[in-house]
Amino acid sequence: MAAFNFEEYFQSKFAERLFQDPDSSENHMTAATRLLEKKREMLELEQALAAQKEAFQMKMTSLNARREELDKKELNLRGSLMKFNQFLIETDIKKQRAEKKANNERMEKESKVQEAAEKMAEREKLKKFLEKQRKVLEREKVYRSYMERVIEKTSEFQELKDILRKHDTLSSNLEDMMEKSNLMTDKLDSLKQEYYSMITKNDEATMRYTNVIADLTWKKETAMSNHQKWESLWTHIQNTAARNVLLLGRVKMATENIYIQIYKQRGLPPKEAESVDDQLKKIKTYIKDLTDIIVESSKQEKGSEKVFERLLARAR
């Protein structure tokens, strides 16, 4: 059922009255006839509203049924989606396990291959080391022969071990001397570092004290500036306080005058012992009562005007 268009209805009624003949019989209708015509129009409006309400109710019923159907479909779809998600999760877990197993096997295989390659490389290194040692041994046979000839020609050494022992002693002494030399060198370097460190610390201390002096100078200047600013502010506060005290005195005088006028309006003598706060509360109460009286008087005047208008309407 089509919705009743109130805008078109009122436009058509307005057009009928706008272009109505002034001499038509409707202008000569009695008040009862006009009232019946208005009641008929109101009945048509109520019927149209009832029809529109029924159509709206049917539409809402259809929409609710459609919504319930969509909710059921959504619930089924959520169940299917949850099952599908569970299937994907299980598949993903199985895939991860298979990939993990394959990765472990591949890593184990690579480890074995790398271990075998390291063993082969180590074997090749050992072969090269043995070959190198053979060459060194062949090369050093000349020194053995030389030392044997030295033993034959000198009486200082009886055996080859004596020469080696002497060599070890001299080598040990040389190492001790080299170690002492290194210790002295390290100590000298340490002393140099301490000297440079002391110079650096001295420079840093000088710079730090210079910065402290500059900072203290700036703080002094800032304190002097703040002193002047706060002194000016204190002067301003004193002047403002004096003006506020004068203004407060004026406010108290005005409050007391209003308070006295209120009691004069009521025909009562004012209470001089009350404080300013009590006087302000009395003034506030008086203004509120006066406002309520004005509002009530306005309502009564409006009510009287409405009663007068009703009497005039009935008289017509």
Side-chain angles (χ1 to χ4, degrees):
M1 184 177 180
F4 185 78
N5 195 332
F6 290 96
E7 185 178 357
E8 292 181 358
Y9 175 77
F10 286 115
Q11 286 181 355
S12 63
K13 289 295 182 182
F14 179 75
E16 288 177 2
R17 293 194 177 187
L18 184 64
F19 298 103
Q20 190 175 18
D21 187 4
D23 297 330
S24 63
S25 60
E26 187 177 356
N27 292 329
H28 302 287
M29 288 182 181
T30 62
T33 305
R34 290 193 184 96
L35 181 61
L36 290 174
E37 183 66 20
K38 294 295 182 182
K39 287 184 177 180
R40 184 182 62 80
E41 292 179 359
M42 291 297 296
L43 182 62
E44 290 178 357
L45 288 174
E46 290 177 356
Q47 290 176 354
L49 284 171
Q52 189 175 11
K53 184 177 181 182
E54 183 180 358
F56 179 76
Q57 190 66 31
M58 292 175 64
K59 188 173 182 181
M60 288 298 298
T61 304
S62 175
L63 289 174
N64 289 331
R66 178 64 176 169
R67 183 177 180 180
E68 291 177 358
E69 184 180 355
L70 289 174
D71 290 340
K72 291 179 181 179
K73 290 183 179 180
E74 184 180 1
L75 185 61
N76 294 331
L77 183 61
R78 286 183 179 178
S80 301
L81 184 61
M82 289 176 65
K83 291 180 181 179
F84 183 68
N85 288 335
Q86 185 66 27
F87 172 75
L88 290 177
I89 292 171
E90 292 177 355
T91 305
D92 192 23
I93 291 172
K94 292 178 181 179
K95 181 181 178 182
Q96 290 178 359
R97 288 177 181 174
E99 290 178 351
K100 185 176 180 181
K101 184 177 180 181
N103 289 332
N104 291 335
E105 291 177 354
R106 184 174 64 256
M107 291 174 64
E108 186 176 359
K109 180 181 177 181
E110 291 176 355
S111 177
K112 295 293 184 183
V113 171
Q114 185 177 1
E115 185 178 356
E118 290 176 356
K119 294 292 184 183
M120 293 296 293
E122 187 177 357
R123 181 182 177 186
E124 292 295 328
K125 287 181 180 179
L126 288 173
K127 285 184 177 180
K128 292 180 180 179
F129 179 74
L130 289 174
E131 184 66 25
K132 186 177 180 180
Q133 291 297 321
R134 289 193 190 98
K135 291 180 180 179
V136 171
L137 185 60
E138 289 294 330
R139 190 171 57 250
E140 290 182 353
K141 283 182 178 180
V142 179
Y143 300 107
R144 184 180 180 85
S145 299
Y146 174 75
M147 285 188 292
E148 289 176 352
R149 290 196 300 270
V150 169
I151 291 171
E152 291 176 356
K153 292 181 179 181
T154 183
S155 60
E156 184 179 357
F157 303 104
Q158 301 297 324
E159 294 180 357
L160 184 60
K161 292 179 180 181
D162 297 335
I163 297 176
L164 295 175
R165 194 178 296 112
K166 185 68 173 177
H167 177 268
D168 292 338
T169 302
L170 294 174
S171 298
S172 177
N173 293 333
L174 179 62
E175 290 177 359
D176 292 340
M177 292 177 67
M178 291 295 295
E179 185 176 358
K180 290 179 180 180
S181 176
N182 292 330
L183 289 173
M184 295 299 292
T185 304
D186 294 339
K187 190 174 182 180
L188 181 61
D189 293 337
S190 177
L191 291 173
K192 287 181 179 180
Q193 290 178 0
E194 289 180 0
Y195 173 72
Y196 292 136
S197 177
M198 289 176 65
I199 293 175
T200 304
K201 289 181 179 179
N202 189 22
D203 294 339
E204 291 177 354
T206 303
M207 186 179 296
R208 185 169 61 253
Y209 290 138
T210 303
N211 293 332
V212 169
I213 292 171
D215 186 42
L216 291 174
T217 303
W218 177 80
K219 287 181 178 179
K220 179 182 177 182
E221 294 175 355
T222 304
M224 293 177 67
S225 176
N226 290 333
H227 174 71
Q228 294 176 358
K229 181 178 69 176
W230 288 113
E231 187 175 1
S232 175
L233 181 61
W234 173 245
T235 304
H236 176 71
I237 290 171
Q238 287 179 337
N239 295 331
T240 305
R243 288 196 299 269
N244 289 336
V245 168
L246 180 61
L247 180 61
L248 180 61
R250 291 178 181 176
V251 170
K252 287 183 178 180
M253 291 176 62
T255 303
E256 188 174 359
N257 291 332
I258 295 171
Y259 178 73
I260 293 170
Q261 291 297 326
I262 289 172
Y263 271 90
K264 286 183 178 179
Q265 289 291 333
R266 293 181 177 179
L268 298 174
K271 298 179 180 180
E272 298 180 357
E274 293 186 357
S275 63
V276 177
D277 292 337
D278 294 335
Q279 291 176 358
L280 288 173
K281 289 179 182 178
K282 294 284 186 180
I283 294 170
K284 181 180 178 182
T285 304
Y286 177 77
I287 293 172
K288 184 178 182 301
D289 294 340
L290 186 61
T291 304
D292 293 338
I293 292 170
I294 294 170
V295 171
E296 186 65 26
S297 177
S298 299
K299 289 182 178 179
Q300 290 178 0
E301 289 179 359
K302 290 182 180 179
S304 300
E305 290 177 357
K306 289 183 179 179
V307 172
F308 182 72
E309 288 177 358
R310 288 176 183 174
L311 293 175
L312 288 176
R314 288 179 182 179
R316 290 176 185 175

